């Protein structure tokens, strides 16, 4: 499975950005799709996730983004998106799209990362 993320960029605080990620290859083996981020000097952290068959009711968010970010996915197109609103400078990071394998249930698949920079 290959994941290709896009949509990062530079935005002012309180602005919005939308990240997208497209999966290709053995996409039938993908279950949960999600987003992680890594800020300079910090460990990679979970942002949001959504399982294949959960719809919007089974989405999960980090407390730091709850109420501001919305994750969605299109199973027919094998894509996942992250709508980021009310962005803060502390949201600045490289954002990674990731997906779990339905058998291992681990995040075995990772995209290349896209930079999000929020200026104050």
């Amino acid at each position: 499975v290959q994941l290709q993320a896009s949509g990062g960029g530079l935005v002012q605080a309180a602005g919005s950005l939308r990240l997208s990620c497209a999966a290709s290859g053995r996409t039938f083996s993908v279950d949960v799709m999600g987003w992680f981020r890594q800020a300079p000097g910090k460990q990679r952290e979970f942002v949001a996730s959504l399982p294949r068959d959960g719809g919007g009711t089974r989405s999960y968010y980090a407390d730091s983004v709850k109420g501001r970010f919305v994750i969605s996915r299109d199973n027919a197109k094998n894509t996942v998106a992250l709508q980021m609103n009310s962005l803060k400078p502390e949201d600045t990071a490289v954002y990674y799209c990731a997906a779990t394998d339905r058998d291992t249930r681990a995040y075995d698949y990772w995209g290349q990362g896209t930079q999000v920079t929020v200026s104050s």
Side-chain angles (χ1 to χ4, degrees):
V1 175
Q2 294 79 43
L3 301 176
Q4 181 71 41
S6 61
L10 174 64
V11 64
Q12 288 188 331
S16 298
L17 274 178
R18 183 177 177 86
L19 304 182
S20 297
C21 177
S24 60
R26 297 169 59 90
T27 56
F28 61 86
S29 64
V30 167
D31 183 5
V32 177
M33 294 189 79
W35 293 90
F36 290 73
R37 66 186 182 186
Q38 186 167 20
K42 295 187 177 181
Q43 290 189 330
R44 190 174 298 186
E45 64 176 6
F46 169 81
V47 176
S49 66
L50 188 59
R52 174 183 290 274
D53 59 355
T57 60
R58 289 183 58 193
S59 56
Y60 292 95
Y61 297 93
D63 288 343
S64 59
V65 307
K66 206 170 290 185
R68 300 187 296 121
F69 291 10
V70 178
I71 188 171
S72 60
R73 66 187 286 177
D74 184 331
N75 290 331
K77 296 181 179 179
N78 295 307
T79 59
V80 64
L82 185 69
Q83 178 65 42
M84 305 184 294
N85 302 317
S86 302
L87 283 161
K88 304 175 181 180
E90 50 263 45
D91 294 318
T92 295
V94 177
Y95 283 70
Y96 296 90
C97 172
T100 67
D101 182 274
R102 66 179 184 180
D103 293 326
T104 68
R105 301 189 179 185
Y107 279 100
D108 291 336
Y109 312 117
W110 291 84
Q112 84 287 5
T114 184
Q115 177 71 45
V116 171
T117 302
V118 184
S119 63
S120 57

